[in-house]
Amino acid sequence: MLTPTEENALRIHIEKLEKKVVIMQKLSTIEGFYSEFFEKLKTAPSNKSAFNEVNETYFELFGKYRYSDFNTFKVITNRNNKKIK
C-alpha cells in the first residue's frame, strides 16, 4: 500500500508520461512535426531555431533525429507542399 506522498508522486509521474505520449504521437507524423514547428515559430527567434527545438525534442523522445538538418527539412517540406498543390 502506498502512502499519500507516494501516491501523489506516482500521479505526477503518470501525468508526465501521458503528456510525453501525446507529444510522441504528434511528432511521429510528418504533419504533427510540421504543426509543432509552426507552434514554436511563434516564440522562436528564427525558423532554424524553431526547427532545432522540435528536432531535439524528437531526438529526446525517439533516440534519433527526424531530419538530419534544417536544409533537409526545408527540401522535404517544399517537396510535400508541391505534391499537395
Side-chain angles (χ1 to χ4, degrees):
M1 186 156 194
L2 298 174
T3 68
T5 303
E6 291 170 330
E7 282 184 26
N8 191 42
L10 185 57
R11 192 173 305 117
I12 291 169
H13 182 68
I14 290 170
E15 287 174 9
K16 287 180 183 178
L17 288 174
E18 288 171 344
K19 289 177 184 178
K20 189 175 181 179
V21 167
V22 169
I23 192 69
M24 287 179 85
Q25 288 173 328
K26 182 176 184 180
L27 293 182
S28 69
T29 67
I30 292 170
E31 296 82 10
F33 189 97
Y34 198 62
S35 171
E36 189 68 15
F37 167 72
F38 275 103
E39 282 297 313
K40 298 295 180 188
L41 275 178
K42 294 176 183 177
T43 57
S46 69
N47 290 1
K48 188 173 184 177
S49 64
F51 163 78
N52 285 335
E53 190 173 339
V54 178
N55 211 32
E56 283 298 324
T57 300
Y58 187 92
F59 181 82
E60 291 169 10
L61 295 170
F62 296 98
K64 62 180 183 177
Y65 290 105
R66 175 147 206 132
Y67 300 98
S68 57
D69 58 30
F70 182 62
N71 288 330
T72 302
F73 172 68
K74 287 192 316 185
V75 167
I76 292 172
T77 300
N78 289 335
R79 187 179 308 142
N80 287 338
N81 286 337
K82 287 179 184 177
K83 286 181 184 178
I84 293 172
K85 292 180 182 179

